Amino acid sequence: MPPSAKAGLVDALAQALDRTRISSAACDRTAYARDLWPRGLIGVAHGDAAPQPPDVVVWPETTAEVAAIVKVAAARGVPVVAFGAGSGVTGGTWPTRGGIVLDLKRMNRFVELDGDALTAAFEAGIVGEHLEHELQRRGFTMGHFPSSIFCSTLGGWLAARSAGQASTRYGKIEDMVQGLEVVTGTGEVVRTGTSTVGPDWNQIFVGSEGTLGVITAATVRVARAPEVQLMRGWEFSHLAAGLEAIRRLLQRGLRPAFVRLYDELDTFIAHLGTSGPWRGRTGRRAPGPDGPLDELRRTALSLAIPHVGPLARLALGLFDRVSPSGCLLVLGYEGDGALCAAEEQIGNTELLHAGGRDLGPAPGLRWLEHRYDISYQQSHVFHDGAFVDTMEVATTWDHLLEMYEAVKRAVSRHAMVMAHFSHAYPEGCSIYFTFVGGSPARREAERIYDACWHDGLHAALNASGTLSHHHGVGLSKAGFMQEHHGELMTMLRGLKRVLDPAGIMNPGKLGLP
Amino acid sequence: MPPSAKAGLVDALAQALDRTRISSAACDRTAYARDLWPRGLIGVAHGDAAPQPPDVVVWPETTAEVAAIVKVAAARGVPVVAFGAGSGVTGGTWPTRGGIVLDLKRMNRFVELDGDALTAAFEAGIVGEHLEHELQRRGFTMGHFPSSIFCSTLGGWLAARSAGQASTRYGKIEDMVQGLEVVTGTGEVVRTGTSTVGPDWNQIFVGSEGTLGVITAATVRVARAPEVQLMRGWEFSHLAAGLEAIRRLLQRGLRPAFVRLYDELDTFIAHLGTSGPWRGRTGRRAPGPDGPLDELRRTALSLAIPHVGPLARLALGLFDRVSPSGCLLVLGYEGDGALCAAEEQIGNTELLHAGGRDLGPAPGLRWLEHRYDISYQQSHVFHDGAFVDTMEVATTWDHLLEMYEAVKRAVSRHAMVMAHFSHAYPEGCSIYFTFVGGSPARREAERIYDACWHDGLHAALNASGTLSHHHGVGLSKAGFMQEHHGELMTMLRGLKRVLDPAGIMNPGKLGLP
């Protein structure tokens, strides 16, 4: 945007909110130029911190201010990118065409709690940890615990269809939403609710990733703070046995909060890194979605970055032959004391019957303790010229092992890959692949990175998988949307024309123009 | 439509499907001119069977035929009304502007069952009882038991956001849907799925009542056929105690399948009509949503039709003073044997603690036995010049008693009204009001009928209630949509322009043009 146009834009925005909450300073533009999309972090490691910065950053404090900002933007055809806490991993807030980044973190108020109906309302910019604190000090919980809870917001969760670590019990964010306040691309304010007639408008905006409007407030379902948390670790000799046990347990109607099954490599690395905590001894680290990453870093570096791909394949091949350990399952119930005790007892019978070895409560308790350790830290592997990313895809039980094998095979051609199975449901489960690769040369690292995603996602889709379970689409998977959604993209473009006729809302994301 | 235009339409349709499955015969046009909307039945009782018949009725057998039919209609601007089994009670399939009624009952195939993922696919025209039979003989259930199960279809359930009697455990139809095949208003075929990125398109079409497209097939979640059904009746001294007990029980995390609390009058009439079955003696009828209607008919007639309103008020006033009985709660668990036993034990403790008196299994078992007795029969009260209808509204627990009192007060100015509370959830509950009124004069009967709905629904909306919990909007509540949904109607009209640019899909329903 030329300087004169930018000055005009700032002046126009100053009609909508105080000038102290509008910035076109270089430092702010750089700070808001990206999120934690690992492909971007490869660039950052090479000094490219702000590939396409926004022209202006604004910090509204009310929905009326957001509406006024969007109206200014719509009149001028300037892009608007809603921004929460910036921990997204898909490039969903990259201002690829410049324009306005709208930081919602000043809209972070706890609005109200209805303890009878078990609902609570918040402004969308509240950080997850603060939201949960507001609820817990009143004796409630949202039950939504993404590993990013310290650095992600309610609005971001809703926009990207987030899932927390306890989604087996409490559901994903789309199951929790009871109502939204949204500023659409025309600057109109709409309020959805729990009406049970006509289309469910909540489900139009959840997952829309800022392309149809800006979510400014939400009412969500909450639960009473759990009386108990019953955690337990289990060992299975192989993955299929563990998965079958989980499927049977959930399909009996049991609803554990936490269900996490680590594949052999993930289990092995967790075991290495912890001096075997899940075997009952004391360890300094717990296995978790990112827990093994520091260990992996050591492994990856020892393999020497330029050769990480071939060496990883070699190591993996060796590992597959000598695979020393089984698979760790962490399973936990939380909620009503009597009900959880009954559920755990029934569940234990099922797991023993399926060949599980009871490891007692220690592995689960340690996982609980460390479950947020990683997401708000920047992984060091990027400084060392490598990259680490996670691919969270999901499918139904009948396709799960097939998808696991296919994605592992596809990605391991380019990087070291391991996985755990979490977010389990009666009909299926998500697989959380972690992969590490790299090259000292930026373009080569990016090529390898893109190859991991290209081959991995196609393998997942070919095995009836989804594009993403809870990280969203953003830029990283935008190129897959037409292939994956076909005719639905025609409808989505039509819906966008209705809600965002000027085409200014987070352009380029979710496969939309 | 003039005869020449109709002949041209039939010829054009004959390009899409065999002429033997196209009819413009008077008998077919009359048969498809209405559903079971009670307001229409008042007219029928006065000899007006087909207020606005369709011009043509078609019976497609494939999705391709449906698409071709819709394309013919779109090209000519002729309305298309999808029709299942005709048991709707809102006028949702009334062809108010003539055109084509598209009966889907020949598209009634069981497509496939995935016993691992617990999903099943069917064509949309399958009647509920047949669908459940296909599943049960394979050892599964959909868990969806509307009282209309003998005379309603899967497509109708989805179009109108149906709830079954066990929705507390299995969810409403919108919770079960995993994928849809839909022919939109342009004749395009779109397939939605369980993708977890972007908006959830299933939730656009569920509840759209045929105004955006025709649902031709669906994949739904199923469950294993229950090992046990543990039914039990409870007596509470007053409504508030029973409601509080249900709320506490559900908010502890228990998931009974059946939860039905009858108000004093509904309990009393059930008791009268059954020689007190819920007190443990043998009775020929069970209380249920429609079970007491034959008894009510006797009561209503004894009050003399011309005076039913004032006399009902008088009777109700007397009843309120002498109210002899408490409130009956029927509660039942079904599913895994061990889990249900544990849940029942915990639940019983809660109900006893809340002041409930255990009536043993008999009331629940009798309700189970008779739960479909009524819906497929035409109530006799219409022949006698009266009407009977049900108003199913829902709200959160904190507004529930307020809504109950407000609606009862509003409707009882015009008719006799009673209610039960069913479809209970952790956040709230539905109230199912049954009201009987009438006049020998058709216009006066219709005026009273309209007044019941006008005053009753406004009372519900003012008490934070919804327009409908599971019967849908159709024509009967179309006039309330703008007031109730405001800005969302603007979005809905926009969405309709995208999916049905010719404006031919079930015009006039859901508050749309």
Side-chain angles (χ1 to χ4, degrees):
Chain A
M1 191 177 285
S4 62
K6 196 187 294 185
L9 176 60
V10 170
D11 287 342
L13 289 170
Q15 305 294 314
L17 77 169
D18 193 272
R19 263 181 202 275
T20 60
R21 294 188 275 111
I22 306 170
S23 172
S24 54
C27 58
D28 289 322
R29 296 177 60 218
T30 300
Y32 286 90
R34 55 178 187 79
D35 55 14
L36 293 185
W37 185 21
R39 195 182 196 282
L41 299 182
I42 296 174
V44 171
H46 288 85
D48 181 15
Q52 176 55 64
D55 296 294
V56 183
V57 181
V58 295
W59 291 269
E61 293 184 346
T62 64
T63 301
E65 286 184 354
V66 174
I69 292 163
V70 171
K71 281 185 178 163
V72 167
R76 293 165 174 255
V78 173
V80 175
V81 179
F83 191 99
S87 65
V89 290
T90 67
T93 60
W94 280 37
T96 46
R97 296 181 206 167
I100 303 165
V101 161
L102 197 154
D103 184 342
L104 287 151
K105 277 197 295 299
R106 282 177 176 249
M107 295 182 64
N108 62 352
R109 281 167 284 250
F110 163 77
V111 179
E112 62 180 347
L113 169 75
D114 183 333
D116 287 328
L118 293 185
T119 61
F122 300 89
E123 290 180 340
I126 189 168
V127 166
E129 173 63 8
H130 301 161
L131 176 151
E132 193 57 28
H133 179 71
E134 291 290 349
L135 291 175
Q136 288 190 9
R137 70 196 189 84
R138 291 169 171 86
F140 295 86
T141 179
M142 185 168 164
H144 192 75
F145 310 108
S147 63
S148 64
I149 194 165
F150 290 110
C151 50
S152 56
T153 62
L154 175 59
W157 296 347
L158 290 158
R161 278 222 208 183
S162 170
Q165 293 164 342
S167 67
T168 299
R169 175 176 173 78
Y170 297 100
K172 289 187 69 190
I173 199 80
E174 57 260 41
D175 305 310
M176 299 175 174
V177 60
Q178 301 280 294
L180 298 174
E181 181 185 74
V182 181
V183 176
T184 69
T186 59
E188 300 299 313
V189 182
V190 298
R191 288 174 189 85
T192 67
T194 52
S195 172
T196 48
V197 299
D200 182 351
W201 289 99
N202 290 320
Q203 303 305 332
I204 305 286
F205 291 111
V206 170
S208 66
E209 301 193 8
T211 63
L212 305 177
V214 179
I215 297 168
T216 50
T219 302
V220 293
R221 187 177 290 180
V222 300
R224 270 181 241 299
E227 288 174 11
V228 295
Q229 251 181 349
L230 307 177
M231 304 297 296
R232 191 165 288 271
W234 296 81
E235 186 189 15
F236 284 88
S237 60
H238 57 290
L239 208 49
L243 288 174
E244 179 65 8
I246 296 169
R247 184 181 73 82
R248 291 175 58 91
L249 189 142
L250 296 181
Q251 292 188 353
R252 284 184 73 168
L254 300 175
R255 284 187 304 167
F258 307 104
V259 181
R260 311 176 69 84
L261 178 68
Y262 298 84
D263 75 0
E264 286 87 349
L265 180 57
D266 209 337
T267 301
F268 178 68
I269 286 175
H271 178 52
L272 270 186
T274 57
S275 307
W278 63 275
R279 294 204 185 274
R281 279 169 270 150
T282 303
R284 65 182 168 80
R285 300 202 60 82
D290 304 286
L293 293 191
D294 278 357
E295 322 306 332
L296 251 188
R297 170 180 162 250
R298 196 189 311 146
T299 314
L301 292 183
S302 75
L303 291 174
I305 294 302
H307 308 293
V308 70
L311 280 171
R313 274 203 302 282
L314 183 65
L316 215 59
L318 283 172
F319 175 81
D320 274 350
R321 293 191 193 191
V322 301
S323 177
S325 63
C327 295
L328 170 65
L329 169 66
V330 169
L331 200 135
Y333 300 84
E334 71 169 47
D336 182 82
L339 183 58
C340 285
E343 288 204 57
E344 191 188 41
Q345 192 180 359
I346 297 167
N348 289 355
T349 315
E350 187 69 51
L351 295 172
L352 287 170
H353 177 74
R357 189 164 76 85
D358 187 348
L359 304 174
L365 293 174
R366 263 192 299 279
W367 172 78
L368 260 190
E369 189 184 344
H370 293 281
R371 61 181 169 150
Y372 304 133
D373 277 4
I374 300 296
S375 275
Y376 62 93
Q377 294 179 0
Q378 189 61 66
S379 174
H380 289 282
V381 305
F382 289 95
H383 299 299
D384 301 319
F387 62 78
V388 56
D389 201 356
T390 54
M391 183 186 296
E392 24 65 67
V393 286
T395 191
T396 47
W397 289 109
D398 46 335
H399 294 289
L400 199 61
L401 266 177
E402 168 197 352
M403 184 174 80
Y404 168 74
E405 295 292 351
V407 173
K408 197 172 81 161
R409 197 163 48 235
V411 176
S412 67
R413 285 197 295 268
H414 313 289
M416 174 175 282
V417 59
M418 59 184 181
H420 65 262
F421 297 72
S422 52
H423 310 288
Y425 310 98
E427 67 270 26
C429 188
S430 161
I431 312 181
Y432 200 88
F433 292 97
T434 300
F435 54 96
V436 182
S439 166
R442 173 179 177 182
R443 297 298 165 212
E444 177 61 7
E446 288 173 347
R447 189 197 63 74
I448 296 170
Y449 178 88
D450 291 343
C452 289
W453 276 100
H454 179 273
D455 294 358
L457 275 187
H458 275 107
L461 296 180
N462 287 338
S464 304
T466 60
L467 266 185
S468 165
H469 178 263
H470 57 278
H471 287 170
V473 174
L475 287 175
S476 69
K477 299 154 204 162
F480 293 84
M481 287 293 281
Q482 188 63 42
E483 176 186 345
H484 191 40
H485 280 71
E487 64 244 330
L488 298 181
M489 288 306 289
T490 309
M491 295 202 298
L492 184 55
R493 284 189 292 270
L495 184 61
K496 184 169 171 76
R497 279 195 301 276
V498 171
L499 295 171
D500 176 26
I504 57 166
M505 302 309 291
N506 205 11
K509 313 301 163 53
L510 204 58
L512 288 168
Chain B
M1 193 177 284
S4 62
K6 195 187 296 185
L9 176 61
V10 170
D11 287 341
L13 289 171
Q15 306 294 313
L17 76 170
D18 194 273
R19 261 180 205 276
T20 58
R21 293 187 277 111
I22 307 170
S23 172
S24 54
C27 57
D28 289 321
R29 296 177 60 219
T30 299
Y32 286 90
R34 56 179 187 79
D35 57 13
L36 293 185
W37 185 21
R39 195 182 196 283
L41 299 181
I42 297 173
V44 172
H46 288 84
D48 181 14
Q52 176 56 62
D55 296 294
V56 182
V57 182
V58 294
W59 292 268
E61 293 183 347
T62 65
T63 300
E65 286 184 355
V66 174
I69 292 162
V70 172
K71 281 185 177 163
V72 167
R76 293 165 174 253
V78 173
V80 174
V81 180
F83 191 98
S87 65
V89 290
T90 68
T93 59
W94 280 37
T96 48
R97 296 183 205 165
I100 302 165
V101 162
L102 198 155
D103 183 342
L104 286 151
K105 277 197 296 298
R106 280 176 178 249
M107 295 181 63
N108 62 351
R109 281 167 284 249
F110 163 76
V111 179
E112 61 180 348
L113 169 74
D114 183 332
D116 287 328
L118 293 185
T119 61
F122 299 90
E123 290 180 339
I126 190 168
V127 166
E129 172 63 8
H130 300 162
L131 177 152
E132 192 57 29
H133 179 70
E134 292 290 348
L135 292 175
Q136 289 190 8
R137 72 195 188 85
R138 291 169 173 86
F140 295 86
T141 178
M142 185 168 163
H144 192 77
F145 310 108
S147 62
S148 65
I149 195 166
F150 291 110
C151 50
S152 55
T153 62
L154 175 59
W157 296 347
L158 290 159
R161 279 222 209 182
S162 169
Q165 292 164 343
S167 67
T168 299
R169 174 174 174 78
Y170 297 100
K172 288 186 69 190
I173 198 83
E174 57 260 41
D175 305 310
M176 298 176 177
V177 61
Q178 300 280 295
L180 298 173
E181 181 184 74
V182 181
V183 176
T184 68
T186 59
E188 300 300 312
V189 182
V190 297
R191 288 175 189 85
T192 66
T194 53
S195 173
T196 48
V197 299
D200 181 353
W201 289 99
N202 290 322
Q203 304 304 333
I204 305 285
F205 292 111
V206 170
S208 65
E209 302 193 8
T211 64
L212 305 178
V214 179
I215 297 169
T216 49
T219 303
V220 294
R221 188 177 290 181
V222 300
R224 270 182 242 299
E227 289 175 9
V228 295
Q229 250 180 351
L230 307 177
M231 303 297 297
R232 191 165 288 272
W234 296 82
E235 186 188 15
F236 284 88
S237 61
H238 58 291
L239 208 48
L243 288 174
E244 178 66 6
I246 296 169
R247 184 180 72 79
R248 293 175 58 90
L249 188 143
L250 296 182
Q251 292 187 353
R252 286 185 72 168
L254 299 175
R255 285 186 304 167
F258 307 104
V259 182
R260 311 177 68 85
L261 178 68
Y262 298 84
D263 77 359
E264 286 87 348
L265 180 56
D266 208 336
T267 301
F268 178 68
I269 287 176
H271 178 52
L272 269 186
T274 58
S275 307
W278 64 274
R279 295 205 184 272
R281 278 170 269 151
T282 303
R284 64 182 168 80
R285 299 202 62 82
D290 305 285
L293 293 190
D294 278 359
E295 322 306 332
L296 250 188
R297 170 180 163 248
R298 196 189 311 145
T299 315
L301 292 182
S302 76
L303 291 173
I305 295 303
H307 308 293
V308 71
L311 281 172
R313 275 203 303 284
L314 183 65
L316 214 59
L318 282 172
F319 175 81
D320 275 348
R321 295 193 190 187
V322 301
S323 177
S325 63
C327 295
L328 169 65
L329 168 67
V330 169
L331 200 134
Y333 300 83
E334 70 169 48
D336 181 82
L339 183 58
C340 285
E343 289 204 56
E344 191 188 43
Q345 193 179 357
I346 298 167
N348 289 354
T349 315
E350 187 69 51
L351 295 172
L352 287 169
H353 177 76
R357 188 165 77 83
D358 187 348
L359 305 174
L365 292 174
R366 260 192 300 277
W367 172 78
L368 260 190
E369 188 185 345
H370 293 280
R371 61 181 169 148
Y372 304 134
D373 277 4
I374 301 298
S375 274
Y376 60 92
Q377 293 179 2
Q378 189 61 68
S379 173
H380 290 282
V381 304
F382 290 96
H383 298 299
D384 301 320
F387 62 78
V388 56
D389 201 355
T390 55
M391 183 185 297
E392 23 67 66
V393 286
T395 191
T396 48
W397 289 109
D398 46 335
H399 294 290
L400 200 61
L401 266 177
E402 168 198 351
M403 183 174 81
Y404 168 74
E405 294 293 350
V407 173
K408 196 172 82 162
R409 198 164 48 238
V411 176
S412 67
R413 285 198 294 271
H414 313 289
M416 173 175 282
V417 59
M418 60 184 181
H420 65 263
F421 297 72
S422 53
H423 310 289
Y425 310 99
E427 67 270 26
C429 189
S430 161
I431 313 182
Y432 200 88
F433 292 98
T434 300
F435 52 95
V436 182
S439 165
R442 174 180 177 179
R443 297 299 165 211
E444 177 62 6
E446 287 174 347
R447 189 197 63 74
I448 296 170
Y449 178 89
D450 291 343
C452 289
W453 276 100
H454 180 273
D455 294 359
L457 275 188
H458 275 107
L461 296 180
N462 286 338
S464 302
T466 60
L467 265 184
S468 165
H469 177 263
H470 57 277
H471 287 168
V473 174
L475 288 175
S476 68
K477 299 153 203 165
F480 293 82
M481 287 292 281
Q482 188 63 42
E483 174 185 346
H484 190 39
H485 279 68
E487 65 243 332
L488 298 182
M489 289 306 290
T490 309
M491 295 203 298
L492 184 55
R493 284 189 293 269
L495 185 61
K496 184 170 171 76
R497 279 194 301 275
V498 171
L499 295 172
D500 176 26
I504 57 166
M505 302 308 292
N506 207 8
K509 313 301 162 55
L510 204 58
L512 288 168

